[in-house]
Amino acid sequence: MEYFDRIIVGGGAAGFFTAINIAENNRSLKVLILERGKDVLNKVRISGGGRCNVTHAEFTPAELVRKYPRGSKELRGPFHKFMTGETIGWFEQRGVSLKTEEDGRMFPVTDSSETIIECFRKQCAKLNIEVRTGETLKRFYSEENQWKIETSGAAYNCEKLMLATGSNSKIWNLLENSGHSIVDAVPSLFTFNSKDDRIKDLPGIALDAELEIPEARLSSDGPLLITHWGFSGPAILKLSAWGARALHELQYKFSVKVNWIPGENELSIIETLKDLKQEHSRQQVYKRSQFDLPKRLWHSLVLASGISQDSKWADLNKQQLSKLGGQLTAAVFQVNGKSTFKEEFVTAGGIDLKEIDFKTFESKIHPNLYFAGEILNIDAITGGFNFQNAWTGGFLAAQAMS
Ligand SMILES: Cc1cc2nc3c(=O)[nH]c(=O)nc-3n(C[C@H](O)[C@H](O)[C@H](O)COP(=O)(O)OP(=O)(O)OC[C@H]3O[C@@H](n4cnc5c(N)ncnc54)[C@H](O)[C@@H]3O)c2cc1C
């Protein structure tokens, strides 16, 4: 059995960040990372389309926590100690500059996730952190104030242990057997499948919209993208993250109400349509798009309201005006199933947050056992927030572990 002072299981974002910070805090500690795969940091490599969306330019803890459907209450304290500004500074001090995109997402200026991986590798080499791949954690237990660890090929012991194994159900099962509670995992970031004549010819159209899922009492707003299979875009991903559990219970069959003209409602828009009828009485309704809507979308909504292509504004009766008002501000689409968002599998679920001390990210059940990253029941909407959770947890756990 080989001894290390600190062992981190999981060579992902949270595992590396923890190991490096431990070794920097206390150079005399022998630190080991154990990774089951052939290579480490695989998710970092593919993250953000190969660019790694490291964090998000949100600098107020109270605002940042609002991006976490699970974990918002618990992360408030930790974010007061380590959040976006600290993340930017941490990488800057180690030679990695980040830049901010228009929507707030932050990436390395190189636009390459390899820059982050290279930074971690360099720090590990400098700090003599050992990284062993092809080692799958099979069993762990505490004996005489030490953690004993059995992997697929070896046995280790250590004083303090971190599990940063992401969403691995086998580790959750081991933890459940050791007395921890696990919240069942369900997908969190996904897009909506909807086969509907109104959108079948509109893939690629993107616009701001207000959305509502009445069955789950959820609403959101922001950019909406029409795809070949239904709906995507930030407004949908927000609904999928906040509604992860409720939509799972509905077996991903529900209706989504779309208001294509944010800030307006059915009554106000009908009044505007009546004005248009007066002003443009001789014009064809179909021909000229109103409310800055993309032309193809306007065409589709006009036809869906029972208005023919050659109808003039003057021809519209009360019922047609009201139908068009409905299509513009409260168009209901049936969703039947979901699709993965750009291969970005993020799950809701994991170790019950009641069992974690959020000052140190230590287990309240087993002393000297720590967790960070996706293994916890914490997840965020898309935009760099999932990594920020890994950095914050890793940093605070490292302080306690060193
Ligand atoms: C395609 C994709 C793109 C993404 N893009 C972004 C983005 O741009 N920005 C963002 O904020 N978030 C992004 N995410 C989410 C983000 O990658 C995760 O939230 C983050 O990687 C979680 O880090 P982690 O260290 O907790 O887990 P992981 O990165 O999953 O690392 C866990 C590690 O533990 C290892 N492991 C598991 N079980 C064992 C075991 N039994 N023994 C030993 N090792 C084990 C795994 O092999 C893995 O290497 C993306 C996710 C995906 C899938």
Side-chain angles (χ1 to χ4, degrees):
M1 191 173 287
E2 203 175 345
Y3 178 80
F4 283 82
D5 297 306
R6 307 289 180 263
I7 292 182
I8 321 292
V9 184
F16 268 82
F17 208 70
T18 309
I20 292 166
N21 281 292
I22 293 175
E24 285 184 348
N25 291 341
N26 186 344
R27 295 291 283 259
S28 66
L29 293 174
K30 246 178 101 184
V31 182
L32 170 69
I33 297 176
L34 291 172
E35 164 59 42
R36 72 173 166 184
K38 278 203 203 109
D39 206 355
V40 291
L41 296 164
N42 281 332
K43 267 204 202 169
V44 171
R45 183 168 292 108
I46 55 169
S47 67
R51 297 199 297 143
C52 187
N53 179 190
V54 177
T55 184
H56 199 98
E58 173 54 71
F59 297 92
T60 318
E63 281 304 311
L64 186 60
V65 294
R66 291 167 52 135
K67 313 299 180 192
Y68 294 82
R70 283 143 296 271
S72 63
K73 191 174 89 207
E74 291 79 5
L75 284 174
R76 196 178 263 255
F79 281 158
H80 276 281
K81 296 189 185 126
F82 192 95
M83 60 176 278
T84 320
E86 287 77 17
T87 303
I88 298 168
W90 194 96
F91 281 103
E92 192 79 54
Q93 280 163 22
R94 287 153 192 84
V96 178
S97 301
L98 303 181
K99 59 167 179 176
T100 310
E101 304 220 319
E102 229 170 66
D103 58 5
R105 291 180 305 156
M106 300 196 71
F107 295 87
V109 289
T110 55
D111 272 332
S112 168
S113 54
E114 290 300 333
T115 306
I116 304 297
I117 295 174
E118 209 33 55
C119 165
F120 287 167
R121 281 197 200 279
K122 247 197 202 150
Q123 295 306 313
C124 285
K126 191 168 115 188
L127 298 161
N128 291 322
I129 296 169
E130 266 210 57
V131 181
R132 295 191 185 169
T133 53
E135 297 247 28
T136 304
L137 175 67
K138 295 288 183 194
R139 189 170 167 235
F140 65 94
Y141 54 96
S142 169
E143 207 174 75
E144 294 166 359
N145 284 332
Q146 290 219 334
W147 284 102
K148 314 271 172 177
I149 294 156
E150 292 169 16
T151 69
S152 36
Y156 301 93
N157 58 338
C158 68
E159 190 196 348
K160 289 180 194 287
L161 171 66
M162 157 159 289
L163 300 184
T165 43
S167 305
N168 178 345
S169 55
K170 284 195 183 143
I171 300 294
W172 283 330
N173 290 342
L174 289 182
L175 281 166
E176 211 158 24
N177 293 338
S178 84
H180 265 291
S181 318
I182 304 298
V183 179
D184 283 348
V186 294
S188 169
L189 285 182
F190 50 86
T191 63
F192 297 174
N193 298 352
S194 180
K195 279 203 170 95
D196 189 292
D197 279 349
R198 285 168 293 177
I199 55 167
K200 82 173 191 311
D201 296 324
L202 308 181
I205 283 187
L207 73 169
D208 275 345
E210 290 171 356
L211 307 176
E212 206 186 318
I213 303 176
E215 290 109 304
R217 293 206 200 146
L218 287 167
S219 58
S220 84
D221 54 22
L224 172 70
L225 172 69
I226 300 175
T227 65
H228 286 286
W229 61 91
F231 296 105
S232 180
I236 293 290
L237 295 169
K238 269 195 259 178
L239 287 176
S240 85
W242 286 98
R245 215 152 279 286
L247 301 182
H248 178 75
E249 274 160 26
L250 292 168
Q251 297 181 319
Y252 308 105
K253 289 192 179 84
F254 50 88
S255 55
V256 60
K257 202 196 266 182
V258 182
N259 179 355
W260 305 101
I261 314 171
E264 296 292 343
N265 61 46
E266 212 167 333
L267 288 178
S268 68
I269 219 71
I270 290 171
E271 287 312 308
T272 314
L273 292 174
K274 283 181 188 160
D275 292 343
L276 285 169
K277 179 175 161 151
Q278 297 294 328
E279 286 165 31
H280 305 300
S281 55
R282 288 153 159 268
Q283 281 177 17
Q284 282 173 341
V285 181
Y286 182 87
K287 226 169 179 180
R288 191 183 292 171
S289 165
Q290 301 292 337
F291 310 106
D292 291 328
L293 289 181
K295 212 168 184 176
R296 284 188 292 149
L297 176 63
W298 172 256
H299 288 167
S300 167
L301 298 176
V302 166
L303 295 179
S305 309
I307 300 166
S308 66
Q309 283 195 26
D310 46 10
S311 297
K312 298 202 169 65
W313 279 100
D315 303 333
L316 299 192
N317 60 34
K318 212 170 154 191
Q319 201 191 2
Q320 285 170 317
L321 284 175
S322 146
K323 254 190 148 174
L324 182 55
Q327 288 297 337
L328 288 166
T329 56
V332 175
F333 293 85
Q334 288 309 312
V335 173
N336 194 352
K338 59 174 175 52
S339 297
T340 308
F341 169 67
K342 294 187 186 167
E343 304 310 315
E344 193 164 327
F345 310 102
V346 172
T347 44
I351 304 168
D352 195 324
L353 303 185
K354 289 198 294 291
E355 298 171 353
I356 306 298
D357 175 352
F358 278 92
K359 290 195 180 76
T360 56
F361 284 72
E362 188 177 10
S363 159
K364 285 183 184 168
I365 294 182
H366 303 292
N368 293 326
L369 177 62
Y370 297 80
F371 306 105
E374 242 184 66
I375 190 171
L376 295 165
N377 182 25
I378 294 179
D379 63 274
I381 60 171
T382 182
F385 305 105
N386 282 304
F387 277 142
Q388 185 56 57
N389 167 48
W391 314 140
T392 297
F395 185 85
L396 292 183
Q399 286 204 314
M401 291 175 78
S402 44

